[in-house]
């Protein structure tokens, strides 16, 4: 990111910080009344996050504390911005996290679409991406159409595109990285949470040839039942929002079925793990149960990991919740897409 200050003193400090920390996002978070001493936050680059004290008189920059002091900088995987073109010509990009100590060639990949979908990823330390990279995987976070933070037109380009152009943007990222030789096309798995969980299931059912394994966290599996749930909670504004984003799920029921993974389970070719918190009130646990029942009906194997009392948002997860998620994530990937 780039910060543009109109105040000349702030602008001078920002220029200085970008010279000192060229690969990081630098932010002024506090300063004294004389604007002599400032506290600076550093995110991204080869750090898990840190705070520095800048003395403007002496020019001295002193480390105050690491944001995650138990994670040494030497263990941080590098993050790159990768631009690619969608099949319809739209310019897209994503964040590529590379496993430390390995060449960026022929790597196993975990595609990790974000939730929302009107949300986005950011350059810097991403807990999930760093975890997977430390295990030997390249991780790609595509900023597909419909993502937030890139203007209203880009958000609206994702409207009515669940399971269609939005999913194509994820698939095209896989193809781009494979064509560039960065990843091995035979060693690609997909992991996502919330809308990312839906994208993982859509990848399994709509483009099964791309993925070696599927991990769907807190996924929407049946759009029609999800909309019924949303309406049952009296969230009229949410229903209007989803009508814009997904489409008219009242009059276009057949289309909703076509893009709902629970109705397309016969297409799945790769091992599937569902992970869901039982205390999820955003995407109810029932959505994973619906997918599990659909798999049972056709005799397809799968795993369902129920995180007891687990919430929807990762920032609300307890240490126990995270350990259960990460342990199963690592185990499943090692079994079905080993990094070496």
């Amino acid at each position: 990111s780039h910060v543009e200050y109109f105040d000349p003193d702030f602008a001078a400090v920002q220029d200085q910080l970008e010279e000192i920390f060229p690969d990081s996002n630098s932010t002024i978070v506090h300063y004294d009344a004389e604007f002599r001493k400032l506290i600076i936050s550093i995110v991204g680059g080869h750090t898990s996050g840190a705070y520095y004290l800048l003395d403007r008189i002496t020019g001295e920059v002193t480390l105050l504390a690491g944001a995650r002091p138990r994670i040494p900088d030497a263990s941080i995987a590098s993050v790159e911005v990768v631009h690619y073109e969608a099949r319809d010509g739209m310019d897209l990009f994503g964040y590529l996290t590379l496993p430390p100590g390995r060449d960026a060639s022929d790597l196993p990949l975990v595609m990790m679409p974000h939730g929302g979908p009107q949300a986005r990823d950011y350059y810097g330390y991403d807990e999930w991406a760093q975890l997977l990279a430390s295990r030997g995987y390249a991780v790609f976070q595509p900023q597909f159409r419909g993502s937030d933070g890139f203007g209203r037109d880009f958000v609206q380009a994702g409207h009515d595109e669940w399971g269609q152009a939005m999913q194509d943007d994820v698939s095209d990222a896989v193809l781009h990285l494979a064509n560039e030789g960065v990843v091995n096309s035979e060693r690609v798995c997909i992991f996502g949470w919330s809308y990312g969980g839906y994208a993982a299931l859509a990848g399994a059912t709509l483009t099964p040839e791309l993925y070696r394994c599927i991990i769907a966290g807190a996924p929407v599996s049946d759009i029609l039942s999800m909309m019924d749930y949303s309406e049952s909670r009296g969230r009229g504004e949410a229903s209007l929002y989803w009508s814009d984003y997904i489409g008219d799920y009242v009059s276009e029921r057949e289309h909703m079925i076509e893009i709902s993974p629970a109705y397309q389970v016969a297409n799945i070719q790769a091992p599937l793990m569902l992970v869901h918190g039982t205390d999820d009130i955003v995407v109810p646990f029932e959505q994973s149960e619906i997918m599990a029942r659909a798999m049972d009906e056709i005799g397809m194997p799968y795993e369902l990991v129920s995180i007891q009392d687990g919430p929807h948002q990762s920032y609300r997860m307890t240490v126990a919740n995270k350990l259960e998620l990460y342990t199963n994530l690592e185990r499943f990937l090692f079994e079905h897409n080993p990094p070496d």
Side-chain angles (χ1 to χ4, degrees):
S1 64
H2 176 71
V3 180
E4 187 71 32
Y5 282 112
F6 297 103
D7 182 279
D9 289 335
F10 277 80
V13 170
Q14 190 66 36
D15 290 342
Q16 180 183 1
L17 293 175
E18 291 177 6
E19 289 181 4
I20 298 172
F21 305 103
D23 297 325
S24 303
N25 288 335
S26 309
T27 306
I28 301 170
V29 296
H30 219 303
Y31 46 89
D32 63 6
E34 292 77 26
F35 199 58
R36 172 185 170 180
K37 293 183 178 181
L38 297 84
I39 296 176
I40 309 301
S41 169
I42 303 299
V43 178
H46 292 283
T47 176
S48 61
Y51 293 93
Y52 287 84
L53 179 66
L54 169 64
D55 189 317
R56 294 186 62 228
I57 304 302
T58 66
E60 186 177 4
V61 179
T62 307
L63 176 66
L64 291 177
R68 300 170 180 84
R70 295 174 63 189
I71 303 177
D73 288 350
S75 300
I76 300 302
S78 64
V79 182
E80 301 177 0
V81 175
V82 174
H83 295 268
Y84 67 101
E85 186 176 290
R87 64 191 64 185
D88 64 357
M90 180 175 284
D91 291 327
L92 300 171
F93 83 97
Y95 300 105
L96 176 65
T97 305
L98 293 168
R102 300 190 66 174
D103 293 333
S105 176
D106 203 39
L107 293 170
L109 173 68
V110 177
M111 180 61 62
M112 196 167 75
H114 61 71
Q118 192 174 333
R120 61 162 297 183
D121 298 301
Y122 293 88
Y123 175 79
Y125 182 89
D126 185 285
E127 186 173 318
W128 293 1
Q130 290 289 331
L131 169 74
L132 295 172
S134 75
R135 268 56 178 173
Y137 298 96
V139 182
F140 193 72
Q141 298 166 276
Q143 305 309 293
F144 46 82
R145 71 193 70 197
S147 299
D148 210 359
F150 311 110
R152 185 186 301 273
D153 289 346
F154 195 77
V155 169
Q156 292 179 341
H159 287 183
D160 295 332
E161 295 296 346
W162 277 49
Q164 299 178 107
M166 289 170 71
Q167 195 67 30
D168 291 341
D169 292 348
V170 177
S171 302
D172 291 343
V174 175
L175 299 175
H176 173 80
L177 293 170
N179 290 336
E180 292 294 310
V182 176
V183 305
N184 186 325
S185 63
E186 301 298 320
R187 304 174 69 194
V188 180
C189 289
I190 185 169
F191 162 56
W193 196 269
S194 192
Y195 173 81
Y198 166 81
L201 291 181
T205 54
L206 302 177
T207 56
E209 70 283 356
L210 289 181
Y211 300 110
R212 185 168 173 172
C213 65
I214 315 295
I215 303 125
V220 174
S221 66
D222 182 341
I223 292 173
L224 293 174
S225 69
M226 182 65 204
M227 294 304 100
D228 287 343
Y229 171 77
S230 180
E231 291 181 351
S232 71
R233 299 183 67 210
R235 298 174 62 192
E237 72 283 357
S239 299
L240 292 174
Y241 171 80
W242 292 123
S243 293
D244 284 339
Y245 232 113
I246 302 174
D248 188 343
Y249 51 86
V250 176
S251 64
E252 299 177 5
R253 293 182 66 85
E254 288 303 316
H255 176 61
M256 297 301 116
I257 290 172
E258 289 174 359
I259 62 174
S260 290
Y263 292 93
Q264 311 299 332
V265 291
N267 297 332
I268 296 178
Q269 301 174 10
L272 167 66
M273 181 170 72
L274 303 162
V275 188
H276 214 135
T278 60
D279 197 29
D280 191 334
I281 60 172
V282 178
V283 178
F285 183 74
E286 179 192 20
Q287 284 292 308
S288 282
E289 292 180 315
I290 290 172
M291 190 70 186
R293 287 196 298 270
M295 296 290 282
D296 285 334
E297 287 175 2
I298 64 170
M300 288 280 288
Y302 65 93
E303 293 187 37
L304 174 55
V305 177
S306 306
I307 300 179
Q308 291 303 310
D309 301 320
H312 185 77
Q313 299 89 344
S314 61
Y315 66 83
R316 292 184 56 229
M317 289 183 179
T318 65
V319 171
N321 294 157
K322 289 189 175 185
L323 282 174
E324 189 168 5
L325 168 62
Y326 295 165
T327 300
N328 283 285
L329 183 61
E330 179 187 68
R331 172 189 58 78
F332 191 81
L333 283 171
F334 278 14
E335 178 180 354
H336 298 292
N337 192 23
D340 294 300

